[in-house]
Amino acid sequence: MTIETVKLQSSGYLINGNMNVPNDPANRHYVMVQEWIAEGNTPAPEFTDAEIAANAQAKVNSESLAYLASTDWYVTRQAETGVDIPQDILTARAEARVAII
Amino acid sequence: MSNARNIAALSTVEVGATADQTKADLNAIGVSGGRKNLIMNGGFDVWQRGTSYSGGSGAYTADRWITIGSGLRDTIKASSTIGGAFVSTFKMTATDTLSYIGVQQKVEATYDYSATVTPTYIASAWVKSNTIAQLRHYDGASNVYSTPHSGGGAWEKLTLLISGRTATSATENTLAVDSYNTVTVVGDYIEFTQVQLELGSVATDFEHRSYGEELALCQRYYWQGKLSNGQGTRYAYGTAGAGKGAGSVTFPVTMRADPTISAVTAANYNNCSHDTYSYSSISGFSHGVTVTVAGSYRAYWGVYQADAEL
């Protein structure tokens, strides 16, 4: 096996994009990674800047969607009974919609 | 060794007989002790990765056997009749002009092997070839070879006495079947089976183990499995993002070391995508996913492999 890429992971390394190697000196692939590093190579970070940004946005999307879902009953109540939606809720829902990409 | 002496050995205790003489006596009359073969899958019945392979060196084919030598070759699980018995065999055919072709198996040591004089072993195998083929033992520093196959294309039993060797590490007690030091050309082949490595200086009959036993022995070093809909699968509920658990796998056999995990066939994903395989241990691992849509998600029917080979 030829090592093309190595990426750090929380519990080891990701080799060639598909092999998860644990931090175990008895693992032959772990030994190969150490030899690869000793040759002067450097593993890539676990997450690229783009991946960090994407993960953060995914979290924002998820939290915003969850907030909208949890406050949908205000909208339903307004439609059925005419009771107004509190302004702070309306503001927060608008912010949540904008935050979702 | 006369038959009379063999038979006499059954009913009398020969005070002066060595362990090897007794072993030879018992072998000659068909009594063969079990748990003597240090080679796993020497009968080539277990092929978890598939029964054919085309490519170069450094690839595991039959369980526990890795290809060696440069260039390309085809390997297949074949079969033959030897001594009236129908047996599985390993056949390797050169598809390139190579320095040599072959396969090898590293025997795991269970004690501090380094710089200790190893016991006397004897290796044996049935070999068929149209080129030079031999048994070769490597201790991390040097090789010893058996008398090579004649190259005449018939089955021949090769033996190799391994004595006074000093292993340089716990992973360098290696037995190979190969054409080492011989350039092979397209069409050259080596076929072999019943590879055995045992203590002592007398080669006895091959130790047959059941498929289940052999598979379990091999699974200490490599496991591959397609999981059912319920195993290694989780219907879960979560927010979007990476690092969400999608199930865990428990190996059927405790592995030699924390294994490398990868997918042979990607799982099917609902509302998520693959993230990582983590917490790999000798007992199992976890499958992490990135949840793409908040709510229920699952990963199922993946085919995974765990590699803890030497």
Side-chain angles (χ1 to χ4, degrees), chain B residues 66-123:
Chain B
I66 188 170
T67 56
I68 55 175
S70 61
L72 305 174
R73 81 291 307 271
D74 290 338
T75 70
I76 58 168
K77 178 184 182 183
S79 59
S80 189
T81 301
I82 299 175
F86 189 72
V87 296
S88 298
T89 67
F90 186 113
K91 186 172 184 180
M92 173 176 288
T93 305
T95 58
D96 196 359
T97 298
L98 313 167
S99 63
Y100 69 99
I101 55 174
V103 290
Q104 70 180 26
Q105 182 173 139
K106 291 185 175 182
V107 178
E108 182 183 0
T110 54
Y111 55 93
D112 183 5
Y113 216 90
S114 181
T116 58
V117 176
T118 61
T120 296
Y121 296 107
I122 188 150

Side-chain angles (χ1 to χ4, degrees), chain B residues 154-174:
Chain B
W155 285 108
E156 299 172 12
K157 187 162 188 178
L158 305 185
T159 60
L160 169 63
L161 184 65
I162 302 159
S163 181
R165 307 277 282 162
T166 305
T168 55
S169 77
T171 60
E172 293 298 356
N173 184 14
T174 303

Side-chain angles (χ1 to χ4, degrees), chain A residues 1 9-11 18-24 26-30 47 55 58-59 61-63 65-66, chain B residues 58 60 66 239-242 256-263 274 276-280 294 307 309-310:
Chain A
M1 185 197 75
Q9 294 207 298
S10 57
S11 58
N18 59 10
M19 297 171 63
N20 289 82
V21 179
N23 284 319
D24 183 354
N27 180 295
R28 66 192 177 106
H29 297 122
Y30 176 86
F47 298 111
N55 286 340
K59 185 179 179 184
N61 289 350
S62 178
E63 290 172 350
L65 286 167
Chain B
Y60 277 91
I66 188 170
T239 56
R256 182 191 66 83
D258 296 350
T260 298
I261 309 295
S262 59
H274 174 69
T276 187
Y277 304 112
S278 57
Y279 305 111
S280 169
D307 184 332
E309 287 285 1
L310 287 163

Side-chain angles (χ1 to χ4, degrees), chain B residues 34 94 128 131 167 209 222 259 297:
Chain B
K128 187 166 95 171
T131 184
R209 293 188 283 246
Y222 178 85
Y297 64 90

Side-chain angles (χ1 to χ4, degrees), chain B residues 104-302:
Chain B
Q104 70 180 26
Q105 182 173 139
K106 291 185 175 182
V107 178
E108 182 183 0
T110 54
Y111 55 93
D112 183 5
Y113 216 90
S114 181
T116 58
V117 176
T118 61
T120 296
Y121 296 107
I122 188 150
S124 58
W126 283 99
V127 179
K128 187 166 95 171
S129 179
N130 63 350
T131 184
I132 300 298
Q134 70 217 338
L135 302 178
R136 178 171 61 89
H137 181 260
Y138 180 68
D139 63 2
S142 63
N143 295 299
V144 289
Y145 310 90
S146 69
T147 300
H149 187 276
S150 67
W155 285 108
E156 299 172 12
K157 187 162 188 178
L158 305 185
T159 60
L160 169 63
L161 184 65
I162 302 159
S163 181
R165 307 277 282 162
T166 305
T168 55
S169 77
T171 60
E172 293 298 356
N173 184 14
T174 303
L175 183 66
V177 184
D178 61 26
S179 61
Y180 195 70
N181 285 340
T182 302
V183 174
T184 51
V185 298
V186 176
D188 282 357
Y189 72 89
I190 304 174
E191 186 174 359
F192 46 93
T193 189
Q194 297 194 350
V195 184
Q196 183 154 281
L197 179 67
E198 58 191 308
L199 287 166
S201 56
V202 173
T204 63
D205 292 344
F206 181 71
E207 177 192 358
H208 292 277
R209 293 188 283 246
S210 71
Y211 180 82
E213 287 177 283
E214 205 72 63
L215 175 63
L217 290 173
C218 294
Q219 285 178 330
R220 172 172 168 76
Y221 305 88
Y222 178 85
W223 167 85
Q224 182 181 123
K226 179 176 183 178
L227 303 176
S228 69
N229 197 16
Q231 186 184 17
T233 300
R234 178 186 294 173
Y235 287 90
Y237 187 90
T239 56
K244 309 293 183 180
S248 59
V249 171
T250 301
F251 301 133
V253 172
T254 301
M255 300 200 76
R256 182 191 66 83
D258 296 350
T260 298
I261 309 295
S262 59
V264 178
T265 303
N268 293 323
Y269 295 96
N270 288 156
N271 293 338
C272 61
S273 60
H274 174 69
D275 180 14
T276 187
Y277 304 112
S278 57
Y279 305 111
S280 169
S281 75
I282 58 174
S283 304
F285 69 95
S286 295
H287 185 187
V289 297
T290 297
V291 175
T292 51
V293 179
S296 63
Y297 64 90
R298 66 169 178 150
Y300 61 102
W301 287 351

